[in-house]
Amino acid sequence: MAGPRVVIIGAGVVGAALADEISARGWTEVTVVDQGPLPATGGSSSHAPGLVFQANSSKTMTELARYTVEKFCSLDVDGQPCFLQVGGLEVATTPERVTELHRRQGWLTSWGVESRIVTADECVDMHPLVNRDRVLAGLHIPTDGLAKAVLAVEAQIRRATRRGVTFLARHEVLDVLQADGEVTGVRTDQGDLRADIVVCCAGIWGPKIARMAGMNLPLTPLGHQLAWTGPVPALAGQTEEAVRPILRHQDADLYYRDRHDTLGIGYYGHRPMPITADEILSVDEADGMPSVLKFTEDDFADAWTETQSLLPATREAKIEEAINGLFSFTTDGLPLLGESPDVKGFWVAEAVWVTHSAGVGRAVAEWLVDGHCSSFDLHECDVNRFEPHQLAPEYVLARDCQNFVEVYDILHPLQPSGDPRPLRTSPFYARQQELGAFFLEANGWERPHWYEANAGLVKGRSIVTPNDWAARYWSPIIGAEAQATRETVAMYDMTALKRLEVSGRGAAGFLERLCTGKVAKSVGSVTYTLLLDHDGGIRSDITVARLAPDLFQVGANGNLDLDWFTRHLPADGTVQVRDITPGTCCIGLWGPLARDVLQPLTEDDFSAAGLKYFRAKRAHIGSVPVTAMRLSYVGELGWELYTTADQGLKLWDTLWRAVRPLGGIAAGRGAFNTLRLEKGYRSFGTDMTYEHDPYEAGVGFAVKADKEDFVGKAALERRRADVRRKLTCLTIEDPRAVVMGKEPVYDGRRAVGYVTSAAFGHTIGKGIAYAWLPAELAVAGRALHIVYFDQRVEAVVAEEPLFDPAMSRLRG
């Protein structure tokens, strides 16, 4: 099978990896073009220091790095290895960093990578240049090491060439050719190349190439300082290139690597140095590599001082080579992978460092050849994940520079993002400010996490204060708001959740084809259902409300759901999909007194019979027209009340006047999260992702197997008979042992899984942690433990839901 005609733009570590991986899968009518010479093309790959550290809070990024390590270990060029597996060592010089190393070791254990915390003496044994007086502890990852990027490029070029792939050096891309919304080829300075698929792997030039296909790529090239010492006397006689672990000193934004008797020093502690892709010189214009900028010595002064303190042997050496090398940064620190939403056949594999390059090559090759990626969960890397405001140049530059500054920082999972803020505010924002809302950002929206106005509710309640880490961006008010919701009634701002409108005479059939549940039911029906990929993995969980015969409102998880719908639209124009989130808003009114609040405000019937559970209807609340859906993700009686943005403030004020006499409150996302975990409600992207199927994730009830067909059905039927892991509810008796997510779960001495969502259940009086476990361990009463930093937290498997299993409060 030769496959379609593919042109890959860029022959660095990503383009070479993709060519190798895609040709190994039988697509051989592939041409790779690069403006520079081969294999050192002049991009970031050509000057990359090659340090591969696998530790990452993202499971996907760790797995991409792990595959890169495994593949590079198997490559050589005429006997020269492409990877020097000397191990990785991260050292801590402050107590805070020691704690952070334990967290990072937890990630590695969760994602299946061997590592251990080592003493200061062991750090010095591994890397004798380290000053024992400076170091408190370390994290050792034996499979880390040095990637020889240019050699890896050459090795993969050779493999792909043997399968028939063509590599064209010194070919500058001038345009991406297209017709009728599809790519047709690439125009170079040496002629046109016809193509059915074009993949942009141009690295720091990526935004420039993507713009040729009408695509706005949120990527900024930033200068990063890399210096090389002259000979270090303590390393005299070292004939091997590297014998010590690659070293990270993250407290000072530094890393180090051997090069015979010299050391390479990388530094992130300087000011951000952004440049646009258009400002980067071409290969012919540059004096040397175009990805290498002039070294700014003043920016490196602190780095050199700190290096001489951590590694005293360097005091006898000097800096002899130094560059400001360009690397790609994105707004969330993750790669940009996938197909353009507007030009069919134009793909990108961008913002990928050497560390993840081979993994990305495999992932994109699977995606292209099979129609989905089976080896990695790519939802957080999909280029179509961004909201429109996240593509604004001002936003991209600010957040990309922030990610550069924070690359080695200790970041809390709830740590607020930086400027620009605020970006999106609901119509209730002014009222929430008056109530002292503490805001965190969600999809660009300012969303209350708790309200200081509720501080008085804490008095007289037993609200457990969690450990120090969990107590950041936390308040006892969260617990009081959760308890108050179950006692009286609360208003929640649900505006940040994405809302799509699907309409047209083909809308019902369209949704039936994509959804696992039956959604073409009576007008007023609301269905919790799933979107699956072709391999049966969960792409999203959504609610679908039928508001008219040809009109549906979808409660979605993000822009990827909109992208998925758009890509599956029929060509005949019988279905339209649009994002109605910016023009609408939503209040969740929940609690045992919710009906007492709502019914006096309307002539419409909101009794249990008048609007049943999982039904919707149009109504008026006071003078405000709303779409009311009887849903509750906190496990209490109530409704999601939607209206247009211009009526939102009026809706808030109308409800607020009715809520207050009954002792009701406004409550934030902190309370919402603990309440939804008490009910066992899943969160896509945290509890379940593309790699999981419905039966593993505990949402098999949303699959109607008797449906004639839906996307992913055939694959799902094959997976149903072989459920080997399950998303499992654990409870924790120790009230202060609140875990945060991503921690490893142990059965005795054996790591068996990892935590997804966690919180303290303020109305059940226990900690809650959901975790992926082997199916044989997901048995109620099974005792396990979670390693939280360096602490052992006892946990037990519990039946779910923990609160109101009979669902009587929801259906009352």
Side-chain angles (χ1 to χ4, degrees):
M1 178 182 73
R5 297 170 298 180
V6 179
V7 171
I8 298 171
I9 302 172
V13 283
V14 181
L18 176 56
D20 180 35
E21 296 283 345
I22 203 171
S23 61
R25 286 162 176 76
W27 283 17
T28 55
E29 198 167 341
V30 178
T31 302
V32 184
V33 298
D34 200 291
Q35 63 177 333
L38 300 177
T41 62
S44 300
S45 303
S46 302
H47 67 73
L51 288 80
V52 175
F53 287 95
Q54 297 166 85
N56 198 294
S57 62
S58 163
K59 182 173 184 282
T60 297
M61 295 298 280
T62 295
E63 290 177 339
L64 292 170
R66 182 168 56 194
Y67 179 77
T68 300
V69 167
E70 292 170 355
K71 182 175 183 180
F72 281 12
C73 282
S74 71
L75 298 178
D76 72 272
V77 175
D78 302 330
Q80 299 180 76
C82 294
F83 195 79
L84 306 177
Q85 200 158 41
V86 293
L89 178 63
E90 302 182 11
V91 295
T93 58
T94 63
E96 293 78 13
R97 185 65 64 174
V98 173
T99 303
E100 171 70 358
L101 292 186
H102 282 284
R103 183 169 72 130
R104 295 173 68 79
Q105 201 268 339
W107 296 338
L108 288 160
T109 303
S110 291
W111 315 147
V113 177
E114 179 189 353
S115 66
R116 67 186 182 97
I117 299 295
V118 295
T119 65
D121 287 338
E122 288 176 296
C123 291
V124 177
D125 288 342
M126 293 178 184
H127 202 299
L129 299 190
V130 169
N131 182 349
R132 172 63 180 80
D133 294 337
R134 291 291 315 279
V135 176
L136 302 178
L139 171 62
H140 181 235
I141 307 98
T143 52
D144 285 351
L146 284 168
K148 308 287 288 180
V150 175
L151 279 180
V153 168
E154 184 171 359
Q156 292 175 102
I157 286 176
R158 289 184 180 186
R159 284 160 52 119
T161 300
R162 287 195 293 268
R163 301 188 192 105
V165 174
T166 300
F167 286 82
L168 300 176
R170 298 287 184 178
H171 279 61
E172 183 180 358
V173 173
L174 304 176
D175 200 5
V176 175
L177 305 177
Q178 51 194 292
D180 300 322
E182 298 185 19
V183 296
T184 59
V186 169
R187 176 155 294 156
T188 78
D189 58 353
Q190 299 190 43
D192 293 352
L193 300 169
R194 310 312 299 175
D196 305 300
I197 294 171
V198 174
V199 187
C200 177
C201 303
I204 54 178
W205 290 278
K208 182 178 180 180
I209 300 296
R211 199 163 56 243
M212 297 175 185
M215 194 173 183
N216 185 2
L217 208 60
L219 180 160
T220 303
L222 281 112
H224 162 55
Q225 293 199 305
L226 176 65
W228 295 94
T229 70
V232 178
L235 304 181
Q238 181 176 317
T239 56
E240 294 182 60
E241 179 176 348
V243 297
R244 294 164 195 79
I246 53 176
L247 181 66
R248 275 207 277 208
H249 175 26
Q250 291 165 295
D251 284 319
D253 298 304
L254 285 160
Y255 62 78
Y256 306 93
R257 58 151 295 178
D258 288 13
R259 189 178 69 179
H260 301 292
D261 63 347
T262 69
L263 284 178
I265 306 167
Y267 186 45
Y268 287 106
H270 55 79
R271 60 190 170 88
M273 304 177 191
I275 189 173
T276 68
D278 295 306
E279 292 174 306
I280 304 171
L281 299 177
S282 69
V283 171
D284 292 330
E285 294 172 325
D287 181 14
M289 283 189 284
S291 60
V292 171
L293 305 181
K294 183 179 178 181
F295 184 65
T296 50
E297 189 173 352
D298 289 347
D299 290 304
F300 195 72
D302 290 343
W304 184 230
T305 299
E306 180 62 23
T307 295
Q308 291 174 313
S309 174
L310 183 74
L311 308 175
T314 58
R315 296 169 188 168
E316 301 180 63
K318 295 181 179 180
I319 299 298
E320 293 194 354
E321 305 171 50
I323 63 171
N324 287 358
L326 293 175
F327 288 99
S328 300
F329 281 79
T330 61
T331 56
D332 56 9
L334 295 165
L336 307 173
L337 312 178
E339 188 179 19
S340 162
D342 302 313
V343 180
K344 185 177 180 181
F346 183 78
W347 289 67
V348 299
E350 288 289 345
V352 181
W353 293 3
V354 173
T355 298
H356 310 101
S357 59
V360 165
R362 177 174 182 172
V364 175
E366 289 179 352
W367 199 349
L368 287 166
V369 175
D370 302 331
H372 59 85
C373 177
S374 57
S375 296
F376 310 97
D377 164 34
L378 297 181
H379 85 275
E380 60 186 5
C381 302
D382 193 314
V383 70
N384 297 295
R385 64 188 180 269
F386 300 104
E387 296 289 327
H389 74 273
Q390 294 173 315
L391 299 176
E394 178 184 345
Y395 179 95
V396 171
L397 179 61
R399 291 293 171 90
D400 289 359
C401 289
Q402 179 183 344
N403 277 328
F404 178 90
V405 170
E406 294 178 344
V407 70
Y408 279 173
D409 286 2
I410 299 172
L411 300 176
H412 191 275
L414 295 178
Q415 186 162 320
S417 53
D419 290 334
R421 276 184 72 187
L423 284 165
R424 308 173 84 182
T425 56
S426 77
F428 327 130
Y429 185 60
R431 297 292 186 262
Q432 292 165 344
Q433 288 179 305
E434 292 168 3
L435 293 171
F438 177 82
F439 292 99
L440 294 177
E441 185 183 336
N443 299 325
W445 294 94
E446 296 296 319
R447 183 167 65 184
H449 206 57
W450 71 80
Y451 293 89
E452 288 294 332
N454 293 325
L457 289 175
V458 176
K459 187 176 181 180
R461 297 179 183 272
S462 177
I463 307 297
V464 174
T465 300
N467 54 78
D468 292 345
W469 183 251
R472 298 187 188 185
Y473 311 108
W474 177 89
S475 167
I477 296 170
I478 289 173
E481 290 178 355
Q483 292 176 0
T485 301
R486 298 234 188 270
E487 295 162 359
T488 55
V489 61
M491 293 166 54
Y492 288 83
D493 182 357
M494 304 299 290
T495 302
L497 300 182
K498 199 170 192 69
R499 294 171 291 284
L500 307 177
E501 182 183 271
V502 181
S503 60
R505 69 178 188 275
F510 168 76
L511 289 169
E512 282 289 315
R513 170 69 177 149
L514 293 181
C515 296
T516 61
K518 294 181 179 180
V519 298
K521 298 184 290 191
S522 62
V523 172
S525 65
V526 183
T527 306
Y528 174 81
T529 185
L530 307 172
L531 303 177
L532 302 184
D533 212 328
H534 296 277
D535 66 346
I538 301 171
R539 287 197 64 94
S540 190
D541 65 333
I542 60 174
T543 56
V544 179
R546 192 171 200 174
L547 303 181
D550 295 338
L551 178 65
F552 296 80
Q553 182 172 311
V554 175
N557 281 299
N559 211 57
L560 290 179
D561 293 344
L562 174 60
D563 181 67
W564 185 252
F565 280 167
T566 302
R567 291 181 188 280
H568 287 83
L569 284 173
D572 60 8
T574 58
V575 183
Q576 296 80 45
V577 176
R578 69 187 186 100
D579 183 358
I580 61 172
T581 312
T584 57
C585 57
C586 178
I587 295 174
L589 181 70
W590 294 311
L593 301 184
R595 188 173 285 120
D596 296 329
V597 170
L598 198 63
Q599 191 60 74
L601 300 176
T602 179
E603 295 180 358
D604 293 280
D605 185 1
F606 278 86
S607 67
L611 187 60
K612 296 180 180 179
Y613 187 52
F614 264 83
R615 297 289 296 180
K617 69 178 178 182
R618 300 276 176 74
H620 284 85
I621 306 302
S623 61
V624 180
V626 301
T627 299
M629 299 186 195
R630 192 169 167 201
L631 309 175
S632 172
Y633 282 87
V634 302
E636 294 290 339
L637 168 68
W639 303 268
E640 293 178 357
L641 302 171
Y642 298 89
T643 191
T644 52
D646 62 320
Q647 295 277 291
L649 186 58
K650 182 65 173 178
L651 177 62
W652 178 281
D653 288 344
T654 300
L655 293 171
W656 187 246
R657 283 194 296 270
V659 159
R660 292 306 293 155
L662 298 178
I665 61 169
R669 189 68 179 184
F672 178 94
N673 193 52
T674 181
L675 295 173
R676 71 112 180 151
L677 285 175
E678 289 181 342
K679 285 297 295 178
Y681 294 140
R682 277 59 169 151
S683 173
F684 179 80
T686 302
D687 298 316
M688 55 190 186
T689 65
Y690 293 1
E691 66 177 303
H692 305 117
D693 70 45
Y695 304 111
E696 297 172 330
V699 289
F701 64 87
V703 178
K704 301 304 178 186
D706 59 346
K707 281 187 66 174
E708 183 175 341
D709 197 17
F710 53 81
V711 172
K713 181 182 180 183
L716 186 60
E717 289 174 347
R718 293 191 295 269
R719 294 174 68 154
R720 183 175 187 176
D722 190 26
V723 176
R724 301 184 183 184
R725 57 184 174 178
K726 287 187 176 180
L727 184 61
T728 307
C729 179
L730 305 176
T731 57
I732 301 166
E733 291 294 334
D734 184 347
R736 280 184 52 81
V738 177
V739 302
M740 298 289 291
K742 303 186 178 182
E743 299 88 358
V745 180
Y746 282 78
D747 178 29
R749 297 173 62 89
R750 180 172 62 109
V752 293
Y754 60 91
V755 174
T756 58
S757 295
F760 188 80
H762 290 283
T763 61
I764 65 165
K766 295 180 180 180
I768 306 168
Y770 273 78
W772 281 102
L773 297 175
E776 65 271 17
L777 297 181
V779 179
R782 180 75 180 226
L784 302 166
H785 71 273
I786 301 166
V787 171
Y788 179 68
F789 294 95
D790 60 346
Q791 303 167 24
R792 177 187 171 110
V793 176
E794 302 297 333
V796 63
V797 176
E799 295 280 2
E800 57 174 330
L802 299 170
F803 179 82
D804 188 26
M807 306 281 280
S808 58
R809 296 171 75 101
L810 279 168
R811 299 179 184 276

